[in-house]
Amino acid sequence: MKGYQSVRLGKDQVSLLLDKNTIVKLVILIIFTFGIFIVSASLGDLRIHPLTVVNLLFWGSGTELEQLVIYQFRLPRIFASMLVGMGLAVAGGILQGIIRNHLAAPDTIGITAGAGMSVMIFLWLFSDENYSLMVSIKWLPVAAFIGALLVAIFVYFLSWKDGVTPVRLILIGIGVSALMQAGTTIFMVLGPVYMASQANIWITGSVNSVTWSDVRVLLPVTIVLLMIAFISARNVNVQSLGEDIATGVGSRVQRQRFILLLISTGLVGTAVAFAGGIGFVGLMAPHIARKLVGSSFGSLLPVAALVGAILVMLADLMGRTLFLPSVVPAGVFTATLGAPYFIYLLMKTKNS
Amino acid sequence: MNGIFEWKNLGKVAVAIVFLALFIGMSIILGYTDTSIQLAYEAFTSFDGRNEHLIIQSVRLPRALIAACVGASLAIAGVYMQTLTKNPLASPGILGINAGASFAVVFVLSFFEVSSLNIFTWVAFLGAAIAAIVVYFVGGVGRKGLTPMKITLAGAAVTALFSSFTQGILVTNEAALDEVLFWLSGSIQGRKLEYLTSVFPYLLVGWTMALVVAPMMNVVAMGDDIAKGLGLKVGLLKLTVGMIVILLAGGSVAIAGPIGFIGIVIPHIARRLIGNDHRWLIPFAGLLGGVLLLAADIGARYIVMPQEIPVGVMTALFGTPYFIYIARKGFNKG
């Protein structure tokens, strides 16, 4: 096994096979991510020189205005973009592995829409007359997670007919998405008027209104789930071989599939709770990652995470700089890129 | 085609007409403001400016007529899309035509000062046409050409793209949001009669053309090769049907916003009830479409009284289970 480095922790409970090629690419992607981070922090209504940004971030120099703009306005959304991108990308990668279908993604099989609807129900149930939440915002990702999970199970169950074919899964996903959107609209109409415009921004997917308090919830949850996902990568590898082989090599297929599904929906739920339905990231990022490092999930998932982060950060950067003074939600750009990509994948697909 | 069946079909169409009339009547009478048959009758014979009379004349009647026309148009468009693409899931909503028309309308509303309903309608046609062309070609490239599966997924992708653009415009342009939001989820509430009258001629043309090509579509339904062998100009016919779909779906969006699932549910029900002969299927599906949208609209008034939900939400609520049922059944038995 030249070019590989194995890492074992504990009593072989956790083992990773690191590909040197992957590590090189990971490092490049990390540098790239950092570059976009700095550029993103420096661009906007008020332009701040990138070097000033670096100084400001590491040594706390800079004028009061610059500090305010960067710390209060830009950093929260940049962090959120990064985390949301990572979450969606890894969730998409896992889904593609366990469903064994390259067209699967949180949005194509309806999970995003499900999380969206349960967030609307949550806001509707727990808002008082002053439009403020009666319970802690920390419960929002929980609500989104429950919605995402229920829809995932629902779609999977409905698609079952002597097994699940990828095509049926996606068709049912389209149908269930439509149903969830109808539900979302009902709660928009039922809820206070201010919620409608909020919800609209949020359905398109945007990190516009993210604050530090959101990031404080988003960050730990996403990091923990990502860690679990990376550790479980080898299980995804086995799953992607198909049920028979997976059983044959001694994997507890059903249990692992369910755990992986939980991780994936958890990531989607968290992302959707704070940034709404930023579309197609979960579809594109794993594909791009597969082109870069191949389809072993140990390398694929971390690379996909970085690609996802870069995609959403770029989308947000474009959204708030290209059409000044208006701010376009990041979801518009990811869809502009992602929908043609989906069509391209579709064209390559063999007819079933 | 023997005579007995024709009589039977005529009977079914007559029943559908009775139902349509019944639901138009119910749509005029039922709602938040209580009215009665007598009041409705008086509103047209001896109008005296009473509140109820005003509501009936200026709110309920336009609404009922719009529901009937839009429902009929969407159903007919759905029938032809299913025949043309040989795809049981084809409909203006699923294949992205509604989304395209909506995007065009929102785009023009936000960036140009347009108040003429006529321009508005043409913009909707244009958007519908662009979406239809994109989906048709995208669904058609690649190996094996236009498969039902591919065209459905292409439609879903195009819908996602256009609705994301629409949302983007709306979000950056918050002033427009309030007026457009309700319309965008498909609504016939508060539409004035002028909306209908400005679009009605196009719908009428669409319906007439739909009836005229019906006998030829019977042949096309048997397969392109057979149709060509029998001397039909299939390409030209398909183009005509494409135009009918664009007229009917685009016109419907211009009046009522994107209302989904009528175009998918009704053709199936109609086929089951009256068979595959397009000469009967088209008028019958049109009538049923009107009935369904009227019923959905009446339901939309009662479900969260005193508020109303957009009728598009209602159609989605009962349409998706049907969609899922068809998707599960699969494409093989068309």
Side-chain angles (χ1 to χ4, degrees), chain B residues 88-131:
Chain B
L89 292 175
S91 70
I94 299 294
L95 294 198
I97 293 182
N98 282 352
S102 312
F103 167 69
V105 167
V106 171
F107 181 83
V108 169
L109 266 184
S110 315
F111 292 109
F112 306 95
E113 300 273 317
V114 178
S115 50
S116 151
L117 286 173
N118 207 12
I119 296 177
F120 202 69
T121 313
W122 278 101
V123 167
F125 288 150
L126 187 70
I130 292 172

Side-chain angles (χ1 to χ4, degrees), chain B residues 113-241:
Chain B
E113 300 273 317
V114 178
S115 50
S116 151
L117 286 173
N118 207 12
I119 296 177
F120 202 69
T121 313
W122 278 101
V123 167
F125 288 150
L126 187 70
I130 292 172
I133 292 167
V134 169
V135 170
Y136 197 80
F137 280 101
V138 164
V141 271
R143 271 172 282 174
K144 284 201 183 171
L146 201 72
T147 65
M149 183 60 226
K150 243 189 220 170
I151 205 171
T152 310
L153 291 183
V158 169
T159 305
L161 187 63
F162 276 125
S163 36
S164 157
F165 285 163
T166 309
Q167 301 283 0
I169 291 179
L170 286 182
V171 169
T172 48
N173 218 328
E174 275 188 43
L177 185 74
D178 289 341
E179 307 152 40
V180 183
L181 196 61
F182 213 73
W183 174 83
L184 254 186
S185 41
S187 168
I188 49 178
Q189 180 198 21
R191 293 277 176 276
K192 297 193 186 75
L193 207 53
E194 295 110 66
Y195 279 76
L196 183 61
T197 46
S198 68
V199 181
F200 191 72
Y202 303 108
L203 295 184
L204 199 64
V205 171
W207 296 340
T208 318
M209 277 163 68
L211 285 172
V212 170
V213 298
M216 288 177 263
M217 284 306 280
N218 282 341
V219 183
V220 171
M222 288 190 283
D224 288 1
D225 295 339
I226 297 181
K228 271 178 200 151
L230 288 173
L232 275 182
K233 285 177 184 151
V234 176
L236 189 68
L237 190 61
K238 283 188 173 175
L239 202 66
T240 316
V241 172

Side-chain angles (χ1 to χ4, degrees), chain A:
Chain A
M1 298 278 264
K2 240 185 180 178
Y4 288 93
Q5 178 70 50
S6 66
V7 179
R8 290 177 198 278
L9 299 169
K11 288 179 183 169
D12 291 354
Q13 293 284 318
V14 179
S15 71
L16 291 170
L17 204 55
L18 290 179
D19 175 4
K20 295 212 174 102
N21 172 35
T22 305
I23 294 174
V24 173
K25 281 178 181 161
L26 269 177
V27 171
I28 295 174
L29 280 172
I30 289 172
I31 295 170
F32 201 56
T33 311
F34 185 73
I36 293 175
F37 188 98
I38 300 296
V39 172
S40 188
S42 76
L43 290 179
D45 240 349
L46 174 76
R47 292 199 174 183
I48 303 168
H49 195 276
L51 279 178
T52 321
V53 174
V54 175
N55 278 332
L56 199 147
L57 287 178
F58 289 101
W59 295 280
S61 60
T63 66
E64 226 166 85
L65 178 69
E66 286 167 351
Q67 294 207 350
L68 178 79
V69 167
I70 290 193
Y71 278 116
Q72 292 309 316
F73 301 144
R74 292 193 189 152
L75 279 192
R77 66 187 302 159
I78 296 172
F79 270 117
S81 311
M82 225 160 85
L83 293 166
V84 164
M86 286 179 170
L88 290 173
V90 170
I94 294 177
L95 280 178
Q96 288 174 8
I98 56 177
I99 297 169
R100 301 182 64 206
N101 175 3
H102 64 203
L103 292 177
D107 15 31
T108 51
I109 67 169
I111 296 181
T112 312
M117 177 167 155
S118 70
V119 167
M120 287 310 288
I121 295 177
F122 178 85
L123 292 177
W124 172 68
L125 276 178
F126 297 112
S127 286
D128 57 16
E129 298 87 57
N130 305 322
Y131 309 142
S132 51
L133 276 178
M134 293 182 289
V135 294
S136 164
I137 185 108
K138 281 177 190 155
W139 292 104
L140 192 64
V142 177
F145 166 68
I146 294 172
L149 184 66
L150 287 180
V151 169
I153 294 171
F154 186 56
V155 170
Y156 200 80
F157 172 74
L158 279 176
S159 319
W160 188 275
K161 191 178 162 192
D162 306 325
V164 171
T165 66
V167 162
R168 200 182 304 129
L169 190 73
I170 288 175
L171 280 182
I172 306 255
I174 292 171
V176 172
S177 288
L179 194 63
M180 295 299 142
Q181 276 154 15
T184 307
T185 312
I186 292 184
F187 289 102
M188 273 165 76
V189 176
L190 279 175
V193 178
Y194 93 103
M195 225 169 85
S197 67
Q198 282 254 312
N200 208 43
I201 296 175
W202 177 86
I203 286 168
T204 325
S206 164
V207 285
N208 247 355
S209 49
V210 173
T211 58
W212 277 119
S213 65
D214 295 334
V215 176
R216 270 195 284 274
V217 181
L218 184 62
L219 183 76
V221 179
T222 311
I223 296 290
V224 168
L225 285 170
L226 283 178
M227 284 304 146
I228 303 175
F230 292 154
I231 292 169
S232 323
R234 59 176 186 171
N235 294 339
V236 190
N237 274 335
V238 177
Q239 290 273 334
S240 64
L241 294 174
E243 197 158 336
D244 295 341
I245 299 179
T247 316
V249 297
S251 159
R252 275 172 285 194
V253 176
Q254 294 299 337
R255 204 185 75 163
Q256 280 179 1
R257 184 181 290 164
F258 188 68
I259 293 172
L260 288 170
L261 194 67
L262 277 183
I263 299 170
S264 177
T265 46
L267 285 168
V268 177
T270 320
V272 170
F274 291 105
I278 296 185
F280 293 100
V281 176
L283 181 83
M284 283 188 289
H287 277 276
I288 297 171
R290 198 167 292 132
K291 290 248 162 75
L292 287 175
V293 295
S295 53
S296 170
F297 282 89
S299 343
L300 187 129
L301 291 184
V303 172
L306 287 174
V307 173
I310 291 171
L311 281 176
V312 179
M313 282 164 82
L314 276 179
D316 179 49
L317 179 62
M318 285 159 80
R320 61 192 174 83
T321 50
L322 286 186
F323 297 98
L324 279 171
S326 29
V327 178
V328 181
V332 173
F333 291 97
T334 56
T336 312
L337 202 62
Y341 194 78
F342 181 75
I343 291 171
Y344 158 75
L345 288 174
L346 199 64
M347 276 156 52
K348 288 203 325 186
T349 312
K350 276 183 232 148
N351 293 301
S352 49

